[in-house]
Amino acid sequence: MNALLRNAYKWPKCTPPVSVAAFSTAPSPWRKAANSSSKSRERERNIINLHHEINDSLDQLKDSLDHGESSSRGGRPSKNKSTFSQKRSYQMFEVLVNARVNKVMREMGDYRDRQEDWRAFGVNNQVQLDSSIGLFKKALDTCFAKATEKGMISRSDNPLFWNLRNSFVKGDNRGLSSELVHSFQTFLMKERFPDAINELHREIADLRFPYEWYPATRMLQRTVHLHVGPTNSGKTYNALKALEGAKTGIYAGPLRLLAHEIWSRFAAKGKPCALVTGEEVRIPEGVDRWFHSCTVEMSPLNKPVDVAVVDEIQMIASEDRGWAWTQAVLGLQAKELHLCGEDRVVELIQDLCARIGDRCIVHRYQRLNPLETMSKSLRGDFRNLEKGDAVVAFSRVALHKLKAGIEQATGKRCAIVYGSLPPETRAQQAALFNDPNNEYDYLVASDAIGMGLNLEIKRVIFESSSKFDGNKVRSLTVPEIKQIGGRAGRYRTASAEIASAQEGAVGGEEAVEAKVESNTGWVTAFDFRDLQDIQNAFQKEAKPIETAGLFPPANIIERFHTYFPPRTPTSFVLTRLRELARLSPRFHLCDFDTALEIADAIQPYNLSVADRCVFLNCPVSFRVSRDGESNGQREALQAFAKCVAEMGSGHLLDFDCIDLSILDMDEETRMTMFNNPAYLQSLERLHQIITMYLWLSYRYEGVFQSQSVAFKVKEIVEDRITEFLDKLTYVTYSQARRRQAMREAAERHKKAEEQLLGEEEQEHLQEHHEEEPEEPIIEIVEELDPEEIIGEVIEEGGTGEREPGPDAEKNQGSG
């Protein structure tokens, strides 16, 4: 393997890359990998320097070959340079895949160890298995030859390479290994199907006309009102006004907290309303007709209504959740369908409406007050905060540390708001911040505020310009920065709306009344190193959204499954469906990775295909720690699947995977655990498993019968998590180090994606990044620094990092 790498690049003997980040740097020829973090950082710097030197030498060589034509330094790379760089990256990727495929084959086992599994794929002896592995490796060689020699890298021209590359970019080595398993299974089964069956497969996998999946909706003549504009422009207010004026209707939003906010608003106005999310259902009693407030995935597609409002319509492009917005747009049986979101989705929605015969009316809005980025950061010093400031971070640990730091440095109180807070607590915290006549001058909030949570914020301050998205640390995208920053300078909040409703007044979320004074919203960053990213984002325009996400519905998966042998793994059926899927140019397939992992996890259990399709949508994360330790969710999912398959006891206390002993600690014992990060991680693990149980309890009411107990346990776990987080303190130098580490990690991934995907595809991938439905407790392991658990004194005077002097920058805001 090393010989292949040396022949490809003529470099000294070295270790091939083993992660996505490795593609942003070349292997170091100087020294062996060091064990200490300081030596690793020095090695990384050497790697980057060597990489730049090699690129500079190659640039000079190409310049001389091009008759002295110089490339534009600092601008967009030339086509030749881009082609050469990508070809080299593909060769490096091929070396990694060849090493990884050998490891994957060893882990899959010999024929004698897994005879029953191999027979399901038509392999009847070890000789046949060895031959198939050899042929698969040749197929890998062919797909890489197409990529490196012919530039064939698209899904239609080179599907094997496309799947491997995208899985590696999204999931690193773990994602690559999983994709290799599924690709090999597909390779084994290809020859088993006669032409007639293959033709049937292609017919079922024809997903070019998803609007035909909703025949009842197609019988309606709908009017689609598309409300587009920046944040704080009145678009959601006007859509909700139409909803309130209807007799029946649906609100569908991206987050549980937004669904709960609309539910609270309708209840305050005396309008019966149901709250429907994945883990909570509240149906009003004593009435025959009511409104629905739900998350988009839970939109009732079989309920005819007068008006439906779908919020944050730009998320239709999301690689993970876009299918839910597409389903709502195509399937909701509403006479009037109101879609609220960004301007870049207009052309796509107009095209979809033209295809299905719906009338489309576009309402464009302008921001109701100015929004400006500042030329000055907080310089890492909480003493530069002003009343009405909101500091935005991307994990619960970071939020609670910031809260502790702000309160100790300023002597003022700080409210805290994030998506997974209990609704009552979240409303109370928001009210404390919005009230100008108390001591709660500041707010720390997650990026959930960018999704429409209404708070009277004067200035938005980004604690960091990068975040952990569940797989990797990445830079915030332009739409994310604009949406979060746009929450500065709000006109009117939900709390004000509820209060006015209780007084009999008429108002709105983003009311346009002249009595509300305009105020400029300001956006800046906590650290000057992040401020430039924020400023650059506000100078850019995001690209128009060209495609809507699709995921095959359960009836298509079930029908497709019937044309395979009985023991065929569902993960293979999904992989085959993904491979054969035909799409219209206006649609893209959403990510299959989580569904494939769920399918593999529950494969051993005797579930019907319908039950397997239910489990495919279960809220589960298979993330593992850096030392390879599981988070326990796979084991819990398997226990729940086994319970459904055997129709066993689904009582909460009967599952060994649900360890409630951690809740038995008395207060004195818990106090000793507050310096132990593993305690917080155990609570988070339990919370996620209980959430999964609640989700299943609404799908299998006769099996998972401890719903009320599960809600009580969930409440206790949330209290214990909050109790732990409240003990966190803020250490300035430690947090500055964390932010720097995240910036470096995000930059490495950005370079890696550019080299492996190409600049245009990398930009396209970034545009499809959307918010996580709920902020994580921890972003990265280093976030739980033992020095910050309890009792650490806050350092004064900021981060100690020098920012450009005051002569070079002038504060454009007050103070």
Side-chain angles (χ1 to χ4, degrees):
M1 184 172 62
N2 285 341
L4 287 174
L5 192 59
R6 291 199 302 277
N7 290 337
Y9 308 107
K10 306 300 182 184
W11 285 345
K13 184 175 181 180
C14 53
T15 304
V18 293
S19 68
V20 172
F23 280 91
S24 62
T25 58
S28 170
W30 289 297
R31 59 199 303 174
K32 297 180 180 179
N35 293 325
S36 67
S37 60
S38 61
K39 289 184 178 180
S40 297
R41 287 194 294 270
E42 181 181 351
R43 177 177 181 269
E44 189 173 277
R45 286 194 295 271
N46 290 339
I47 289 171
I48 294 173
N49 290 336
L50 176 62
H51 183 63
H52 292 326
E53 290 173 9
I54 291 172
N55 278 344
D56 289 342
S57 299
L58 291 170
D59 288 342
Q60 293 174 10
L61 175 61
K62 284 185 288 180
D63 288 345
S64 63
L65 292 175
D66 290 337
H67 305 288
E69 286 186 352
S70 59
S71 61
S72 56
R73 301 282 179 177
R76 191 179 182 90
S78 68
K79 185 176 180 180
N80 289 336
K81 178 178 178 181
S82 176
T83 302
F84 180 87
S85 176
Q86 288 182 29
K87 181 176 180 180
R88 184 174 61 183
S89 296
Y90 297 158
Q91 290 171 335
M92 294 175 70
F93 185 42
E94 182 178 12
V95 173
L96 175 61
V97 169
N98 287 335
R100 183 63 51 173
V101 73
N102 292 328
K103 182 176 184 295
V104 167
M105 294 306 165
R106 289 194 300 270
E107 292 174 349
M108 291 181 73
D110 292 333
Y111 178 79
R112 63 177 179 275
D113 299 327
R114 299 179 58 184
Q115 292 187 29
E116 187 173 339
D117 293 336
W118 288 123
R119 284 174 182 167
F121 290 99
V123 178
N124 296 311
N125 54 61
Q126 184 64 44
V127 174
Q128 188 179 358
L129 176 60
D130 292 339
S131 175
S132 298
I133 292 173
L135 292 173
F136 179 63
K137 289 181 177 179
K138 288 183 179 180
L140 289 174
D141 293 339
T142 301
C143 85
F144 276 102
K146 287 181 179 180
T148 55
E149 297 172 10
K150 300 180 181 180
M152 299 170 64
I153 59 174
S154 68
R155 181 175 179 268
S156 56
D157 293 335
N158 199 349
L160 179 56
F161 176 83
W162 190 88
N163 288 332
L164 293 172
R165 184 191 60 172
N166 281 19
S167 295
F168 182 56
V169 169
K170 292 178 182 177
D172 216 306
N173 284 328
R174 185 164 170 266
L176 176 61
S177 295
S178 177
E179 184 58 40
L180 281 169
V181 170
H182 298 131
S183 295
F184 182 55
Q185 292 174 347
T186 302
F187 180 81
L188 289 175
M189 294 289 283
K190 271 184 178 179
E191 306 301 325
R192 294 195 63 193
F193 300 114
D195 292 341
I197 295 296
N198 278 325
E199 190 58 36
L200 278 172
H201 285 178
R202 293 189 184 94
E203 180 182 337
I204 299 172
D206 188 348
L207 310 180
R208 291 176 297 171
F209 311 104
Y211 25 84
E212 294 179 356
W213 301 344
Y214 312 100
T217 309
R218 297 290 75 79
M219 295 176 66
L220 301 175
Q221 181 61 52
R222 301 186 305 174
T223 299
V224 177
H225 294 271
L226 182 56
H227 304 267
V228 295
T231 54
N232 198 16
S233 59
K235 55 185 184 294
T236 308
Y237 163 68
N238 284 285
L240 289 177
K241 204 162 59 168
L243 181 61
E244 290 174 6
K247 293 182 179 180
T248 58
I250 297 167
Y251 170 84
L255 299 174
R256 292 195 303 271
L257 69 90
L258 290 180
H260 194 280
E261 186 173 304
I262 300 303
W263 175 79
S264 299
R265 179 175 303 182
F266 272 64
K269 295 187 176 184
K271 296 180 179 290
C273 184
L275 175 66
V276 183
T277 69
E279 60 189 63
E280 185 178 14
V281 176
R282 300 185 189 182
I283 303 296
E285 299 179 354
V287 293
D288 297 327
R289 187 170 57 187
W290 56 80
F291 291 86
H292 281 74
S293 182
C294 55
T295 49
V296 177
E297 287 85 350
M298 301 299 295
S299 301
L301 302 180
N302 58 350
K303 182 177 180 60
V305 295
D306 295 330
V307 174
V309 174
V310 180
D311 213 351
E312 306 297 345
I313 185 59
Q314 71 276 1
M315 288 190 69
I316 199 170
S318 170
E319 292 284 354
D320 297 317
R321 303 176 66 203
W323 62 269
W325 274 262
T326 303
Q327 171 183 274
V329 170
L330 299 180
L332 281 172
Q333 298 183 42
K335 297 175 183 176
E336 287 187 14
L337 178 62
H338 292 256
L339 310 177
C340 307
E342 298 176 16
D343 187 77
R344 60 198 180 106
V345 80
V346 169
E347 187 178 339
L348 172 63
I349 297 300
Q350 287 178 325
D351 191 10
L352 293 180
C353 289
R355 290 168 184 251
I356 57 183
D358 288 342
R359 182 188 179 199
C360 183
I361 303 173
V362 180
H363 307 271
R364 299 185 186 271
Y365 300 82
Q366 299 299 318
R367 187 176 168 88
L368 299 176
N369 63 337
L371 180 68
E372 301 287 344
T373 57
M374 300 177 70
S375 62
K376 191 175 185 179
S377 74
L378 292 193
R379 298 172 178 264
D381 192 343
F382 293 129
R383 293 173 297 183
N384 291 324
L385 286 169
E386 302 170 0
K387 185 175 178 63
D389 282 350
V391 183
V392 177
F394 304 103
S395 76
R396 280 177 269 177
V397 165
L399 290 170
H400 280 266
K401 285 183 179 180
L402 286 168
K403 181 179 185 295
I406 289 171
E407 291 183 341
Q408 185 160 346
T410 64
K412 299 291 183 67
R413 299 300 300 275
C414 179
I416 183 169
V417 169
Y418 50 86
S420 55
L421 269 178
E424 295 77 13
T425 305
R426 188 171 57 241
Q428 179 192 44
Q429 290 289 307
L432 288 171
F433 174 72
N434 289 335
D435 185 353
N437 300 317
N438 62 25
E439 57 182 352
Y440 281 83
D441 288 358
Y442 315 117
L443 172 74
V444 292
S446 72
D447 45 350
I449 65 170
M451 287 293 183
L453 184 62
N454 293 295
L455 297 154
E456 294 176 359
I457 298 169
K458 175 183 177 182
R459 182 171 63 167
V460 168
I461 299 158
F462 286 84
E463 189 257 350
S464 174
S465 61
S466 55
K467 66 176 289 187
F468 180 71
D469 66 0
N471 292 310
K472 61 183 180 297
V473 178
R474 63 168 175 84
S475 299
L476 296 175
T477 65
V478 170
E480 285 173 339
I481 291 174
K482 285 188 172 183
Q483 191 160 27
I484 296 169
R487 298 301 162 180
R490 301 291 286 172
Y491 265 80
R492 189 176 176 89
T493 66
S495 58
E497 173 71 8
I498 292 172
S500 66
Q502 291 171 339
E503 295 171 3
V506 178
E509 173 190 340
E510 298 175 317
V512 195
E513 289 89 340
K515 64 180 181 180
V516 184
E517 295 182 0
S518 173
N519 61 308
T520 299
W522 298 98
V523 184
T524 187
F526 187 66
D527 192 310
F528 75 95
R529 289 182 175 84
D530 294 309
L531 180 56
Q532 186 174 359
D533 293 335
I534 306 302
Q535 292 170 333
N536 291 341
F538 275 92
Q539 299 301 317
K540 296 178 180 178
E541 291 296 331
K543 292 183 177 181
I545 292 173
E546 297 179 351
T547 57
L550 278 184
F551 193 87
N555 63 314
I556 288 182
I557 296 175
E558 290 180 40
R559 185 184 172 201
F560 198 65
H561 219 299
T562 59
Y563 291 95
F564 292 87
R567 293 182 301 171
T568 304
T570 302
S571 61
F572 167 72
V573 175
L574 291 173
T575 305
R576 177 76 169 163
L577 181 56
R578 181 185 65 179
E579 179 190 18
L580 296 179
R582 286 198 292 171
L583 301 171
S584 129
R586 278 303 189 183
F587 297 96
H588 68 266
L589 277 181
C590 286
D591 189 41
F592 273 62
D593 291 348
T594 301
L596 292 172
E597 286 194 87
I598 291 174
D600 282 335
I602 65 175
Q603 185 58 39
Y605 307 105
N606 188 26
L607 293 166
S608 68
V609 177
D611 285 332
R612 293 184 188 278
C613 289
V614 171
F615 273 86
L616 291 181
N617 294 307
C618 189
V620 60
S621 170
F622 295 119
R623 277 177 17 207
V624 295
S625 63
R626 291 187 178 182
D627 57 6
E629 182 181 352
S630 169
N631 62 3
Q633 292 195 55
R634 177 183 294 273
E635 293 76 12
L637 180 71
Q638 291 174 327
F640 297 150
K642 181 180 180 182
C643 182
V644 172
E646 298 176 354
M647 295 300 293
S649 171
H651 291 290
L652 190 70
L653 301 180
D654 291 339
F655 291 100
D656 294 334
C657 61
I658 303 179
D659 183 11
L660 301 179
S661 61
I662 194 173
L663 303 180
D664 293 334
M665 298 180 186
D666 56 29
E667 185 175 356
E668 183 178 350
T669 305
R670 294 201 305 274
M671 289 297 295
T672 65
M673 300 298 292
F674 288 147
N675 63 348
N676 184 3
Y679 174 63
L680 176 61
Q681 292 166 345
S682 297
L683 288 172
E684 181 187 21
R685 183 181 303 119
L686 178 58
H687 186 272
Q688 292 167 336
I689 292 173
I690 295 297
T691 298
M692 196 191 314
Y693 182 94
L694 285 170
W695 188 90
L696 288 167
S697 71
Y698 286 108
R699 280 86 184 159
Y700 299 98
E701 294 181 5
V703 178
F704 302 101
Q705 304 175 25
S706 303
Q707 189 180 89
S708 58
V709 176
F711 271 117
K712 183 62 179 177
V713 171
K714 182 171 179 280
E715 181 182 343
I716 295 172
V717 174
E718 289 170 347
D719 289 342
R720 297 290 168 83
I721 290 175
T722 302
E723 183 182 51
F724 183 99
L725 294 174
D726 284 341
K727 300 296 182 182
L728 296 173
T729 58
Y730 187 93
V731 179
T732 303
Y733 77 85
S734 177
Q735 289 303 298
R737 185 180 62 204
R738 178 185 65 85
R739 289 193 297 272
Q740 180 61 25
M742 292 186 69
R743 280 192 291 266
E744 292 173 353
E747 185 62 26
R748 286 196 299 270
H749 277 286
K750 181 179 178 181
K751 290 180 179 178
E753 288 181 353
E754 285 177 354
Q755 291 193 11
L756 200 56
L757 292 173
E759 187 173 345
E760 290 187 3
E761 285 194 64
Q762 193 262 349
E763 289 178 1
H764 174 77
L765 184 65
Q766 281 195 337
E767 294 300 328
H768 284 69
H769 277 305
E770 293 293 347
E771 298 298 329
E772 290 294 300
E774 183 176 304
E775 63 286 320
I777 289 184
I778 304 169
E779 282 181 315
I780 53 177
V781 173
E782 288 79 359
E783 202 166 2
L784 278 177
D785 192 321
E787 296 179 2
E788 299 176 291
I789 300 296
I790 53 174
E792 189 68 25
V793 177
I794 308 299
E795 297 180 9
E796 298 294 339
T799 64
E801 300 168 335
R802 291 190 61 81
E803 184 172 6
D807 294 338
E809 48 180 24
K810 296 179 181 179
N811 190 345
Q812 298 177 13
S814 60

